[in-house]
Amino acid sequence: MKKALALILALVMCLGILSGCGDGQDKAGNDDSDYSYHWKLATTETSDYYMTVLAQEFLDKVSERTGGKVTGEVFASGQLGGLVDALEGLEMGTVDIVMDGFSSLGEVNPIFDAWGMPYLYDSQEHRYNFWDNYFDECADLVASEANIRMVTVIDGLNRNLCCTKPVNSLADLKGMKIRVPTITTYMKVWESFGAAPVPMALSEVYTSIANNVVQGQENDIMLTMAMNFYEVAPYAIMTEHVPYEGSLFFNEETFQSFPEELQQIILEVGREITAKSRTVVAEEEAKTLAEMEDMGVTIIRPDLTEFRAATKHMYDENTAITPVIDLINKAR
């Protein structure tokens, strides 16, 4: 009898231990009040880049609103590896959040190629109308295709050309060597323009322009200014060809495992970061344009009609992005 009683008590204790194993981090999302996380956020951007600063603000706000149940730290400048490494870490659980531009992820999943396409939006109003009205649908679409949950949109500037000579039309670009990142859609844009795109590490660009290895590079004007490229390529050609936007990305399965309370806090803070990024970008754009003029940079705004027409074929050739493009068209 005593042996039977002892066996029963031991069984009860084991069940109690097993039922309490998930109390520290609720991976099943069943208990909205009892959870604890420390997130690692990976980005290849520098710690002082405005998107990185906003990523840190996101972590701080989530921590505050969860009463410290969630904490986190940003690992900038590729401390946790390049983008592919970070995304692999996201899948394996060694990285909790990745911050990068949408178009950069196109090399990992074709759905993200949509944001590397030229002249994606008709205007800034169109862009904001899309995100304000179709964010949830777009986030669900990306999650189903790539198993990645985006929780905010960090606004960015359009990409423009910085080069060593004036460019007023497509004819002026013919055969010009332009440095581009190793992103397939970016390469195709410049091929469509008639230029000769050259993939190259950002660290090599200044010297390559100075030595006439390439005659220009394309980036947003803030980054171009930060890298001092206008010193060797004093012409800013406002081609406005690709909108650069970023986000904070979670693994979808991990995100869905969070307690409902935490999911709502994440999305709430994400909306606030979206709104703030628009103000930050508008202010920084005005400031950078003023600095460019003070430096003596020649700003050229060509008629973009022929630029748009030259790249229109890219939409017909990429059916993988059609679901995203359909949503963007609905916002027109």
Side-chain angles (χ1 to χ4, degrees), residues 14 23 29-30 44 47 66 78 80 90 93 98-99 112 165 203 211 216 221 241 259 265-266 268 277 285 303 314 316:
C14 286
D23 288 350
N30 294 323
T44 56
S47 59
T66 59
L80 299 182
L90 199 68
V98 171
M99 190 280 285
F112 292 105
K165 67 177 186 178
S203 59
N211 294 329
I221 58 174
H241 51 282
I265 289 173
I266 290 170
E268 176 185 285
S277 72
E285 180 177 30
D303 182 346
M314 290 178 61
D316 298 327

Side-chain angles (χ1 to χ4, degrees), residues 184-203:
T184 302
T185 50
Y186 288 10
M187 298 278 288
K188 288 182 178 178
V189 167
W190 288 96
E191 288 170 355
S192 299
F193 285 163
V198 179
M200 180 185 297
L202 193 63
S203 59

Side-chain angles (χ1 to χ4, degrees), residues 287-323:
K287 176 183 174 183
T288 304
L289 284 169
E291 290 176 356
M292 288 163 58
E293 291 177 339
D294 290 342
M295 286 178 59
V297 174
T298 301
I299 301 174
I300 299 175
R301 299 182 184 276
D303 182 346
L304 298 180
T305 303
E306 62 176 346
F307 288 76
R308 289 176 177 272
T311 54
K312 191 175 180 181
H313 68 94
M314 290 178 61
Y315 287 87
D316 298 327
E317 295 169 359
N318 193 339
T319 57
I321 64 173
T322 299

Side-chain angles (χ1 to χ4, degrees), residues 39-106:
W39 290 335
K40 292 181 179 179
L41 189 154
T43 180
T44 56
E45 303 290 358
T46 59
S47 59
D48 58 349
Y49 188 56
Y50 79 99
M51 285 191 177
T52 310
V53 174
L54 288 172
Q56 182 64 63
E57 184 172 332
F58 170 85
L59 291 177
D60 293 343
K61 285 189 172 187
V62 171
S63 181
E64 178 185 352
R65 293 184 195 179
T66 59
K69 293 177 182 178
V70 173
T71 57
E73 56 188 315
V74 173
F75 293 84
S77 301
Q79 293 179 66
L80 299 182
L83 177 59
V84 173
D85 297 323
L87 291 171
E88 288 177 352
L90 199 68
E91 184 71 23
M92 295 186 295
T94 56
V95 171
D96 301 289
I97 309 171
V98 171
M99 190 280 285
D100 214 305
F102 285 106
S103 55
S104 300
L105 273 67

Side-chain angles (χ1 to χ4, degrees), residues 68-144:
K69 293 177 182 178
V70 173
T71 57
E73 56 188 315
V74 173
F75 293 84
S77 301
Q79 293 179 66
L80 299 182
L83 177 59
V84 173
D85 297 323
L87 291 171
E88 288 177 352
L90 199 68
E91 184 71 23
M92 295 186 295
T94 56
V95 171
D96 301 289
I97 309 171
V98 171
M99 190 280 285
D100 214 305
F102 285 106
S103 55
S104 300
L105 273 67
E107 298 304 302
V108 177
N109 190 289
I111 195 71
F112 292 105
D113 279 338
W115 289 280
M117 296 295 281
Y119 306 108
L120 187 62
Y121 308 111
D122 294 340
S123 62
Q124 193 78 304
E125 181 182 10
H126 176 211
R127 171 162 39 178
Y128 291 166
N129 187 49
F130 164 64
W131 287 121
D132 290 345
N133 292 283
Y134 297 97
F135 175 84
D136 291 340
E137 282 185 65
C138 192
D140 288 343
L141 176 61
V142 168
S144 65

